[in-house]
Amino acid sequence: MTKMVAAILISFGCYLPVTLFSKTKPKVGLLMIPKTCAYMWIIAMGLQLLGSWNG
């Protein structure tokens, strides 16, 4: 569960600067890449949880 919290914090931490500074500093938009990776990590953890659920 702590990995899930870490992935959510990474995602939010990468998204917040983009929403705040993208108009003045467009290159900050590159932070959407690690945000997307964090989302993919969350999906992988969810699929792993489902796999262990079904036995």
Side-chain angles (χ1 to χ4, degrees), residues 22-34:
S22 64
K23 296 281 185 183
T24 57
K25 300 192 183 290
K27 286 190 178 185
V28 79
L30 289 172
L31 287 173
M32 294 301 274
I33 295 170

Side-chain angles (χ1 to χ4, degrees), residues 11-32 35 39:
S11 172
F12 184 72
C14 290
Y15 182 68
L16 187 61
V18 173
T19 58
L20 295 175
F21 304 116
S22 64
K23 296 281 185 183
T24 57
K25 300 192 183 290
K27 286 190 178 185
V28 79
L30 289 172
L31 287 173
M32 294 301 274
K35 182 195 79 68
Y39 279 175

Side-chain angles (χ1 to χ4, degrees), residues 1-13 38 41-42 45:
M1 196 65 173
T2 57
K3 289 180 184 179
M4 185 73 72
V5 172
I8 292 169
L9 289 175
I10 290 169
S11 172
F12 184 72
W41 186 26
I42 291 170
M45 285 186 281

